[in-house]
Amino acid sequence: MATTLNRAPAEPVTRQRRNAPFPVELYRSAVGKKYVMALTGIALMGFVLAHMVGNLKMFLGPAAFNEYGEFLRELLVPILPHHVVLWIMRIGLIVAFALHIHAAYALTRMNHAARRTKYQSRRDYVAANYASRTMRWSGVIVGLFLIWHLFDLSWTGTGAAFYRGDPYTNVANSLSRIPVAIFYVVANIALGFHLFHGSWSLFQSMGWNNPRFNRWRRDFAIGFAALVVVGNVAFPIAVLAGVVSAD
Amino acid sequence: MAVTDPERQAPSLVTGEKHHGRTMHLTLRVWRQAGPDSEGRFADYDVPGISEDMSFLEMLDVVNERLASDGEEPITFDHDCREGICGTCSLMINGRAHGPERGTATCQLHMRKFGDGDTIVVEPWRAEGFPIIRDLMVDRSTLDRIVEAGGFITVSPGSAPDANLVPVPKVVADASMDAAACIQCGACVAACPNSAANLFTAAKVAHLNLLPQGEPQRYQRVESMVDTMEQFFGSCTNHGECEEACPKEISIDFIATMNKDYLRAKIKNRRYLSRNP
Ligand code: SF4
Ligand code: FES
């Protein structure tokens, strides 16, 4: 069986590079990228939760909701000039998104390179669940939705009557269109799946593993994902039910 | 092949009766591939008369004997100890690494775990780090590269030290032994949707890093083992599939510990210091 022994050994699928300072060196590694994914994920989780909680003001009526929007612009004024805190938060979010997406992209490439020939028979997964195996798709859906959402309610509007500085009316106008409301619900369910795996996974990536709290990690992920989804899905439903309306 | 013939079995010492195990009639769908670069394909074999007391590998032995006597090429598969301690056996059985039974290597899997009339699909481990040699046999020497990178302690090999010279707390010794149970079979890689070897590497890192003997090289070890691993395998996205496939039921807790140590190692960055005097 000489032919079988003349085989080439496995080739590295990733090459090692020159040494670099700590943050660069860390980010080059897959384990480091997972730290970045976890940290930016935590930042984005904080945002998504605050966004949902803040928007609950919708149920207190137009004045309260619009006032809340104004309040965000005036955060820490007069210690800092107008809009400064808002912009710091925005830039932070943009950076977090960019790093989260770049790390995800690089790791996906790496993982595809690590198994070019797939299993030819059907896999029978035991632990890997729907959420964990569709992270990149739920992520892409949420990302595309986010762009649309920004056009819809921050930048230009998407067809429904749009008034700058009157978010309450804009929300009511946009979400009273049934296909738009459905899109919001679908995107939030994708977000829920993403959060369900992500907010468990981050503990492992961060090395936060302790018998004292390990059994709470899954519960936390379920609770967090459910909280955000239920809160967010309440908005389109409230608009369609007429609880929140433009007039 | 005494096991195939119930009539030739020794009678029970207690009852004096011969144990007539159920026999099964199976269809085996096996990946056949003549060499590393050949095209592979599934081949179906009709396999009657398999005792439920056989191990999975004994069943393959029977199939191979029949193939050989029919003048066909036997199925190549890896095996050695056949008692779950060497990590040589592999096989993706019905879509699961080491088959359906938890905490069991292929060699310890019994045919009674399958039903009469079943079709059993057998595939080799698939990962770029594990090139196929032939049929079901893959080259797992990439795992040796990871061990070579740091899976050792550097000591002066004088005369044997006194036992218990270095005290190790019981819980630490236990945790280290849990990690050291890894038999380097590669099922974690095979089962992982990303072909990541993090469970294997974490086990090899932890069993030394937990102990005082491993402490001096703790950070070099984790850094070079992880960096070597990442040259060949995918990245961990915390599916947890490895833990389910592992015949030694090694916990993914070790992966979290490895991540923590790796971060500390990168902060210390001793490699950087040593290359930039
Ligand atoms: S960690 Fe488990 S599955 Fe992975 S090589 Fe070791 S024994 Fe096999
Ligand atoms: S043959 Fe040794 S572990 Fe299975």
Side-chain angles (χ1 to χ4, degrees), chain B residues 182-188 199-200 246-248 250:
Chain B
C182 169
I183 54 175
Q184 203 169 328
C185 62
C188 41
L199 188 65
F200 164 74
C246 176
K248 298 297 146 188
I250 291 180

Side-chain angles (χ1 to χ4, degrees), chain A residues 13 25 111 115 121 201, chain B residues 123 126 231 235 238 259 271:
Chain A
V13 289
E25 186 76 14
N111 294 343
R115 182 178 288 138
S121 58
S201 175
Chain B
E123 229 189 310
R126 289 197 190 271
Q231 291 179 53
S235 86
N238 305 314
N259 292 346
R271 203 147 63 88

Side-chain angles (χ1 to χ4, degrees), chain A residues 40 43-44 86-99:
Chain A
T40 53
L44 295 170
L86 188 64
W87 269 108
I88 290 176
M89 293 196 299
R90 279 176 180 161
I91 291 169
L93 279 177
I94 292 168
V95 170
F97 265 114
L99 286 172

Side-chain angles (χ1 to χ4, degrees), chain B residues 155-166 213:
Chain B
V155 288
S156 140
S159 53
D162 287 345
N164 299 326
L165 201 58
V166 183
Q213 290 88 341

Side-chain angles (χ1 to χ4, degrees), chain B residues 1 54-62 64 77-89 105-110:
Chain B
M1 303 291 347
M54 286 183 194
S55 78
F56 201 84
L57 298 186
E58 283 167 338
M59 181 274 291
L60 285 178
D61 290 337
V62 170
N64 274 348
F77 62 93
D78 258 325
H79 62 98
D80 189 21
C81 71
R82 299 205 176 196
E83 54 183 13
I85 55 169
C86 74
T88 310
C89 56
T106 299
C107 59
Q108 300 270 280
L109 178 66
H110 283 91

Side-chain angles (χ1 to χ4, degrees), chain A residues 107-166:
Chain A
L107 292 172
T108 302
R109 291 278 309 263
M110 176 178 178
N111 294 343
H112 285 169
R115 182 178 288 138
R116 291 207 194 83
T117 312
K118 304 252 167 301
Y119 282 101
Q120 304 295 302
S121 58
R122 210 171 51 80
R123 283 296 311 272
D124 178 10
Y125 290 111
V126 187
N129 53 36
Y130 181 76
S132 71
R133 282 184 289 128
T134 54
M135 282 305 268
R136 45 191 80 110
W137 299 118
S138 55
V140 166
I141 293 172
V142 170
L144 292 176
F145 166 76
L146 176 71
I147 295 171
W148 194 84
H149 179 52
L150 283 169
F151 274 107
D152 186 32
L153 293 175
S154 300
W155 296 339
T156 59
T158 50
F162 183 79
Y163 308 100
R164 206 155 248 299
D166 188 1

